[in-house]
Amino acid sequence: MVGVNMKDTKQFTNFCAVCEVSLGSKNELIFHKTSSEHRGKWLKHWYQNNRLLLAQDKSGVKVLPEEGATGSGVAYDERTGILNLTISPGQEKSVNLVIKNTGGEAVMLRQVEAFHSCPSVRLSDAYNVTQGSRFVRILSGVEYGVEVKGIAPDTLGVEQVPVAFQFSPDSAAEELFFIVRTIVVSVVDQVAEEAGASSPFRNHRPLQPLRYDQHFIPGVPISGDRKGVPIKQYKYSMDLKNIATKNFSEKKVAPEYKAEARNLRKMLNDGLQIQNYRTWYSTMLWMEEMQMELDIRRYSLEEVCLKAVPSKIFSYPPVVEIKVEGLAEKRPSVLKGDNVYVCQYGRRRPVYAGVVHVIKDTSLYLAFDKKFMDTFVNNMKVNVEFEFNRHPMKVSHRALEMCGTRVTHLTFPTLPPPHPSDTPLSIVAYNRKLEQNPEQIQAVRNIVSGTSLPAPYIVFGPPGTGKTVTIVEAIKQVIKLQPQSRVLVCASSNAAADLVANRLLEHIITSHILRLYAVSRDPLTIPSTLKNIANLDHDGIYLPEYNKLKEYRVVVSTLVTAAWIVSSGVKEGHLTHVFLDECGQSTEPEALVALAGLANHKTQVVLAGDPHQLGPVIRNTQIFSENKLFSPNGLDKSFLERLMEQEMYQPQEERYNTLVVTKLVNNYRSHVDILNQPNAMFYNSDLRACADNVLVESLCRWEHLPKKNFPLIFHSVKGKDEREGNSPSFFNALEVSKVVDYVKKLLDSRSPKIKDVEIGVITPYRRQVEKIQRQLRKVHRADGVKVGSPEEFQGDERRVIIISTVRASADHLAHDETFRLGFLRNPKRFNVAVTRAKALLIIVGCPDILVLDKHWGGLLEYIQAKGGYTGPKISQIDYSLDDIVSRFDNLGISEAVEEEISARELVEAPAWRADF
């Protein structure tokens, strides 16, 4: 991370950072710190910070499994002191922990005690030290055994408990020392066992950058690559990087940066204004780029082989092939024409750039300079470094530069003058169903009439309310009723733009529509239905010139590709209408790419989206809206969301001003019970369930429902969130098993019949996605089941949605909710995940963790009250605090120094990006 947000703790003089409560006075704070609640939470935190130290062997005493005990379901990690017993449901497994005294003098084993109660673990020993009956003197060179028995219930699950061994030197009974071993009992089936960690987790350190001095030998570019008018580079200055690294603190930067830091700090204190609009957003774009430069290094490769590509496969220029897993999933994202940097393994120079000529599912064809090819041998080993494509950044900066004060009617709109009270525009809808929906038809009329001009018109479309249908109808009516109209339609993704283009083709002739693709798009991936309206010729994708572009009535593209329209020379005001669909998913500068230099006061701009669903993906937490620096208008807040916070777009007395905004309220997707909670949490319970009853009630009698006629299931799984190898992404093997089990039951269902393509699995962590995908490949007829993150499901829907929440608490001493919820504590991700299902929503997760979040906890409470809960019951989280305090007191373990958790830790832990 480029920098860290630091809360000012001075204002919290009487604030307990451990319990996150403010007290009225210093005396109240002192008294609060004597409570068992505070001590219990502090001890949990202290234990987490010191668990590796506690696990170390000390004073010549070792505690480890007896020789030959590991293997066959018993694993031991010496670094962490974790003993893992893997057992089948209803079984038991025992292992001896041997205490070895390798020191020069005898020691006393005084006590063996678990830090909290755990019915799955039973301890015993020959002299009953584990029962608190006596001490045992262990001579130098002598061993003493303690039996650990794991007892599995009949259900899958994970329980773990730290066990403290208390010792004292024989010569100094008061000098206690402790060795802690954590006992984990994992009750698994075959699927969970296969999905478990393949190797211990170790923090991955990215390779040293190859281009540390920025010097490299360029490769062979793609011939005939037409990228149009060059765009300025818009590189950030090193001054800004140094200032950002110091969190914009004038006091912390070097003297030569103080003046610039002072100016930036003033801007931040002033907040977003017309006068600082460009600087505000340009600064955030540059800070995001700094973070992206760090993040892309995660995909660097070491000691990989380059293979020659025969000329009969690819003739000119000569290319070599490199294997890169994850290309199909854009991890990393690589486009034709991008550079991939290589250096011969074991060297630092020279660095060569290979230009990407072909992208396959798991490999790239790269064209290098002749110097490289002259020395190339097949299977040459190299280190590899990728770079992200800066084109979206550059066109965003250019849009900000072009804005000036010409689009303040869009960026800082004001309420338009009263619209003439003419007779409402008479419209005969192409989609006759719209005539039965007053909100949709009203939005279409107002867009065609231009009631919001010069301000943007907003179509607020909650999940499943037909937002895109409304936009498409409005475009068709504009083309029909306004013969001189010229329309640009943009979306944040190619898939969304393709959807709009296909629907427009139903009623607009092909010669009037251009589907404008970027030159980096592979022509083979363009849908066949759109090829006759795309910018395609015999050479591939071309960028049409100004005279060609102005012939079309409708141009459809992504926001970034719309930059070409500006580059081609299309004049400001040529467009009468600009529609930005799914506008909530893009940054504000990206939205401006389709507006700056194109829209004037007479251009009707229409923004469609939902501020309560996922916004743009931002990597740098310094520029989040919740962060103090750029609050409340960070780069994660979309143009749509920022405008909808303005008074003119807010409801007055629960009614929106329909001259500038329409809220769609008929939900055509989900069963009323699935819609219930997100409707209440995000949409003021305004949404009406209007979906086809036959479809949404088709699973209300499914044999595996805990409660018939209630199509929601919460299946409690008390598993364990883990990481493996060098991946920081979490997974939960027991949840993998339960998800696969539900998929099998759905596919095996005879009445009703369910197809694989009707099932979607949503999970927040990349590693969990991969684990579930791997197991589903072994399931018959499961090929069409989609598995992905909430981001990958936005705009999508399935008859059945299964959500795996991953995060779990197998140990009462695990991190508190502030640190463990992480990714889950994001209301927009929650909203997207739970609103994708039509007829059945299944949530697999740990209730003890989810109940701590307002949104997940509310949904869990609702499902439980309605009878849809199954699996182990919710634990009482706070019951253990008194018990934890007494056990620590019994053992004589006390924290060294009671320092408050730093504000940095409180903010940083939940805020760092977790969705890898």
Side-chain angles (χ1 to χ4, degrees), residues 62-126:
K62 299 178 181 293
V63 182
L64 69 167
E66 66 182 345
E67 190 173 347
T70 56
S72 186
V74 179
Y76 178 67
D77 187 327
E78 186 174 348
R79 187 180 72 92
T80 61
I82 294 176
L83 177 68
N84 199 321
L85 308 180
T86 302
I87 319 175
S88 299
Q91 303 298 307
E92 295 183 357
K93 188 183 292 287
S94 295
V95 63
N96 272 333
L97 278 177
V98 176
I99 301 168
K100 295 183 177 182
N101 184 2
T102 64
E105 64 172 306
V107 295
M108 296 295 294
L109 174 63
R110 304 169 62 93
Q111 199 169 350
V112 180
E113 183 163 353
F115 280 7
H116 57 73
S117 62
C118 181
S120 296
V121 174
R122 188 175 300 161
L123 304 172
S124 61
D125 66 296

Side-chain angles (χ1 to χ4, degrees), residues 790-840:
E791 285 81 359
E792 292 169 290
F793 271 87
Q794 178 140 319
D796 203 348
E797 60 186 19
R798 290 290 189 275
R799 186 179 177 193
V800 181
I801 288 291
I802 306 171
I803 301 173
S804 169
T805 58
V806 179
R807 299 314 299 268
S809 177
D811 177 3
H812 299 308
L813 286 175
H815 287 266
D816 287 327
E817 61 270 22
T818 303
F819 307 107
R820 293 194 68 76
L821 276 167
F823 187 97
L824 295 175
R825 185 169 277 171
N826 183 317
K828 293 182 179 182
R829 288 193 178 100
F830 166 84
N831 189 28
V832 169
V834 302
T835 55
R836 303 302 99 190
K838 297 179 182 179
L840 176 62

